[in-house]
Amino acid sequence: MPMSDCIFCQIAQGKIPSEMVYEDDQVIAFKDIHPLAPVHLLVIPKLHLRSLNDVTPEQEPLIAHLFGVIRRLASELNVADSGYRVVTNTGADGGQVVGHLHFHLLGGKALNAEIG
Ligand code: AMP
Ligand code: ZN
C-alpha cells in the first residue's frame, strides 16, 4: 500500500519526477538528487517498508532480488570491477532521513574508507 506522504512511494508511482534508471514489478532505481559519487543510485522496493527493521522473513526474497538488481546495475554502470559500496542507513543513529527502505549504490571514485 503506497503511503501518500512518502516521497519514495510518490517517486515509485511516478507522482514525483526522478531520474529513473531501472524498474521492474518489485523494485526501482533512480539517481540520488544530491550525488556523493559519480555513480549514486537509490535502489528501493516499490512496497513501502520504513527501514530494514520492517522486513519480515517472507519479504527476504524481495531483498535478495533487490541485491541482484544492484549487482546488475553495478555491472551495467561499469563500476563492478573498479568497486562500489552499498549502504542502507537505518534509524536515527544510522542517519536515515527518508523513511522508505532504500539502498545507496555508490561508485565511480575511490570512496572514503571510513564507514562509521
Ligand atoms: P538517507 O535516508 O540518509 O539514507 O538518505 C536519503 C537520500 O535520499 C539522500 O541521499 C538524498 O539526497 C536522497 N533524496 C531525497 N529526496 C530525493 C529525491 N526526490 N530524489 C532523489 N533522491 C532523493
Ligand atoms: Zn514509501
Side-chain angles (χ1 to χ4, degrees):
M1 195 65 180
M3 304 285 280
S4 56
D5 59 348
C6 170
I7 188 165
F8 287 178
C9 280
Q10 291 179 62
I11 285 175
Q13 294 176 280
K15 291 181 175 170
I16 288 181
S18 69
E19 285 196 67
M20 193 88 71
V21 297
Y22 176 85
E23 178 171 18
D24 65 28
D25 58 332
Q26 298 178 88
V27 168
I28 61 170
F30 53 97
K31 292 187 182 178
D32 195 293
I33 205 166
H34 293 126
L36 300 175
V39 172
H40 188 173
L41 300 183
L42 298 173
V43 188
I44 74 169
K46 287 182 170 176
L47 182 69
H48 181 82
L49 299 165
R50 284 171 296 180
S51 79
L52 202 52
N53 289 338
D54 262 16
V55 176
T56 66
E58 292 72 27
Q59 291 161 341
E60 287 172 7
L62 166 61
I63 304 306
H65 169 66
L66 187 150
F67 263 83
V69 169
I70 290 173
R71 182 174 53 74
R72 288 189 288 279
L73 286 170
S75 181
E76 285 166 19
L77 295 168
N78 291 311
V79 297
D81 291 339
S82 51
Y84 57 93
R85 183 172 295 160
V86 180
V87 175
T88 186
N89 298 323
T90 303
D93 282 358
Q96 184 177 7
V97 174
V98 176
H100 180 129
L101 177 62
H102 55 280
F103 295 80
H104 298 255
L105 167 57
L106 296 144
K109 71 169 190 181
L111 299 162
N112 187 325
E114 286 179 34
I115 296 254

